[in-house]
């Protein structure tokens, strides 16, 4: 089946669209080695067949948007591992191609979203959950620009500016995006009523209001309990569709490279998220295809929206 025939923004104007779940946990479940600073980027380079298989698993689960394996792919990080600039560009292109293949093999329309992870992700030190890197907006824009250009050249349907911990980094990303005409969403990772870097959420979301390329704003890779207040903050300053794809409430421990799961996973009040304006819904780290299938069944079934995530 061909990929989605119309822009994602048009679909969001009429209905909820289902995102996929965490790529890294699915790759790990498939037996892939994610050790080292390149993380899922290592699998992209060494085992592209496994990346395509992970995308296909989410498509079979009902996902309508597949997010590429480019989150952790940065020119500097890959250069340190012996990849020259042309090779890294080719990997960024490959990430889109693999998701597109899975999309085309699905039995329903699927969009491909190219992941543009934060600067902290390529440092592999947990700073994507802190922000405040000590770089200027101009320096951050210079880091992101070539990655975004490569992903757009590869033919992604939309850019996923995701897991952004800092409003200053969002400003840099939006500056690069402005004027390109490329569709994108902006998604912060948050703690309570602030970005991970500590900025108030209304101010952070307001940055996107003047960028016409942004088709949705919201949150990802956060505790499910933080989703609804964040959506309400976004709705207070923006009029467009919102998005939510939290993790299972676990906390990432960077020194040990492990997740610490909550003793009692929080419920997912999906109906409340939808009422608040969420039109893109899915999961992030530690949310797998079976969880996305449950979410798909909930959206198309009783619509209760109450779902408890397995740890």
């Amino acid at each position: 089946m061909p990929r989605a025939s119309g822009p994602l923004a048009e679909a969001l104007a009429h209905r909820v669209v289902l995102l996929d779940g965490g790529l890294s946990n699915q790759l790990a479940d498939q037996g892939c080695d994610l050790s080292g600073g390149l993380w899922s980027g290592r699998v992209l380079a060494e085992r592209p067949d496994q990346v395509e298989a992970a995308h296909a698993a989410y498509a079979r689960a009902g996902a309508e948007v597949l997010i590429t394996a480019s989150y952790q792919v940065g020119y500097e990080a890959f250069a340190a591992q012996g990849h020259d600039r042309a090779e890294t560009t080719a990997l960024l292109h490959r990430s889109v191609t693999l998701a597109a293949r899975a999309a085309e093999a699905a039995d329903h329309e699927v969009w491909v979203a190219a992941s543009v992870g934060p600067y902290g992700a390529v440092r592999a030190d947990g700073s994507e959950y802190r922000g405040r890197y000590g770089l200027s907006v101009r320096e951050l824009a210079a880091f992101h620009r070539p990655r975004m250009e490569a992903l757009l050249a590869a033919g992604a349907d939309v850019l996923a500016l995701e897991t952004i911990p800092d409003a200053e980094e969002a400003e840099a990303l939006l500056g690069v995006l402005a004027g390109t005409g490329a569709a994108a969403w902006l998604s912060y990772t948050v703690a309570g009523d602030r970005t991970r870097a500590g900025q108030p959420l209304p101010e952070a979301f307001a940055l996107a209001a003047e960028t016409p390329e942004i088709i949705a704003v919201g949150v990802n890779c956060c505790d499910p309990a933080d989703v609804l207040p964040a959506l309400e903050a976004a709705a207070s300053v923006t009029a467009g569709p919102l998005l939510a794809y939290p993790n299972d409430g676990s906390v990432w421990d960077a020194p040990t490279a492990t997740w610490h799961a909550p003793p009692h996973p929080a419920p997912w009040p999906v109906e409340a998220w939808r009422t608040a304006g969420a039109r893109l819904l899915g999961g992030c780290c530690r949310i797998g295809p079976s969880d996305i299938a449950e979410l798909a069944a909930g959206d198309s079934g009783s619509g209760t929206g109450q779902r408890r995530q397995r740890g």
Side-chain angles (χ1 to χ4, degrees):
M1 185 171 192
R3 276 162 58 184
S5 56
L8 179 58
E10 291 183 3
L12 297 180
H14 303 289
R15 63 180 181 88
V16 171
V17 175
L18 187 64
L19 294 164
D20 59 9
L23 184 61
S24 61
N25 47 266
Q26 179 59 21
L27 291 172
D29 287 347
Q30 292 172 193
C32 298
D33 185 357
L34 278 73
S35 61
L38 300 184
W39 198 40
S40 58
R42 174 179 178 178
V43 186
L44 176 65
E46 298 176 357
R47 294 296 308 275
D49 59 314
Q50 291 294 321
V51 174
E52 185 174 349
H55 288 314
Y58 280 115
R60 288 193 300 271
E64 299 172 273
V65 180
L66 299 177
I67 302 175
T68 65
S70 50
Y71 176 85
Q72 199 120 2
V73 180
Y75 286 95
E76 295 83 352
F78 273 69
Q81 298 296 324
H83 296 269
D84 65 25
R85 195 168 188 84
E87 289 171 334
T88 302
T89 297
L91 286 174
L92 290 166
H93 288 184
R94 175 186 289 178
S95 73
V96 175
T97 298
L98 295 173
R101 287 179 186 168
E104 290 161 3
D107 62 0
H108 56 278
E109 289 193 324
V110 178
W111 288 269
V112 172
S115 175
V116 181
Y119 174 79
V122 302
R123 295 172 59 171
D125 62 358
S127 58
E128 69 261 49
Y129 297 116
R130 299 190 303 269
R132 299 298 190 189
Y133 312 118
L135 299 179
S136 68
V137 170
R138 180 177 300 215
E139 289 170 323
L140 288 168
F143 167 80
H144 284 295
R145 181 172 287 105
R147 302 167 73 214
M148 293 170 65
E149 289 175 346
L151 291 167
L152 287 173
D157 298 308
V158 59
L159 294 178
L161 313 181
E162 61 175 355
T163 326
I164 306 305
D166 195 322
E168 290 185 1
E169 185 164 22
E171 183 181 350
L173 287 160
L174 293 168
V176 174
L177 180 67
T180 64
W185 75 66
L186 174 65
S187 183
Y188 288 101
T189 179
V190 302
D193 61 354
R194 293 177 177 267
T195 67
R196 297 277 185 169
Q199 298 108 344
L201 289 181
E203 295 178 13
F205 285 121
L207 291 173
E210 301 304 319
T211 306
E213 287 86 353
I214 292 294
I215 64 170
V217 298
V219 292
N220 76 291
C221 211
C222 62
D223 192 303
D226 288 336
V227 169
L228 184 57
L231 294 177
E232 291 171 343
S236 72
V237 294
T238 62
L242 306 180
L243 63 92
Y245 51 116
N247 57 37
D248 68 344
S250 295
V251 176
W252 177 249
D253 182 11
T256 62
T258 56
W259 288 99
H260 296 296
H264 303 291
W268 284 33
V270 175
E271 191 59 36
W273 299 349
R274 292 176 61 170
T275 299
R279 293 296 176 266
L280 277 168
L281 289 172
C284 202
C285 298
R286 297 168 61 85
I287 305 300
S290 63
D291 304 307
I292 296 304
E294 288 182 24
L295 191 57
D299 278 339
S300 61
S302 64
T304 61
Q306 299 298 324
R307 174 178 177 276
R308 184 168 292 276
Q309 183 59 45
R310 292 188 295 274

